[in-house]
Amino acid sequence: GTDLFSARVLTTNGKVTAAQHRCMADAAEKFGNGNLLYTTRLSVEIQGIPYDKIEEFQKLRKFRDFF
């Protein structure tokens, strides 16, 4: 197993604004491994989030109108 997780960000038909992209990139660098993965289902994954950072990440998401 692994202690690293991914968070999936649902987009509106794959459309992401520049501000939303910057926020996801900041979250990927702060909480994950710095990578964003765009899926075939038009969502975005923030990869490599350690288990001990999940709660902090979830709190950040509450203040983002596009998560």
Side-chain angles (χ1 to χ4, degrees):
T2 181
D3 290 333
L4 300 178
F5 297 86
S6 294
R8 185 165 291 162
V9 180
L10 302 179
T11 67
T12 303
N13 297 322
K15 184 178 179 180
V16 178
T17 67
Q20 292 169 331
H21 196 275
R22 278 190 293 275
C23 184
M24 289 187 294
D26 290 345
E29 289 180 342
K30 182 175 181 179
F31 298 103
N33 62 12
N35 293 325
L36 295 174
L37 174 74
Y38 290 81
T39 71
T40 58
R41 293 186 179 201
L42 303 178
S43 65
V44 182
E45 286 186 0
I46 297 173
Q47 297 183 321
I49 301 173
Y51 180 78
D52 60 348
K53 288 189 177 182
I54 290 175
E55 284 188 42
E56 185 181 357
F57 176 79
Q58 289 174 326
K59 289 176 185 174
L60 169 76
R61 291 180 56 198
K62 291 178 183 177
F63 300 106
R64 307 296 181 193
D65 61 335
F66 56 89
F67 275 124

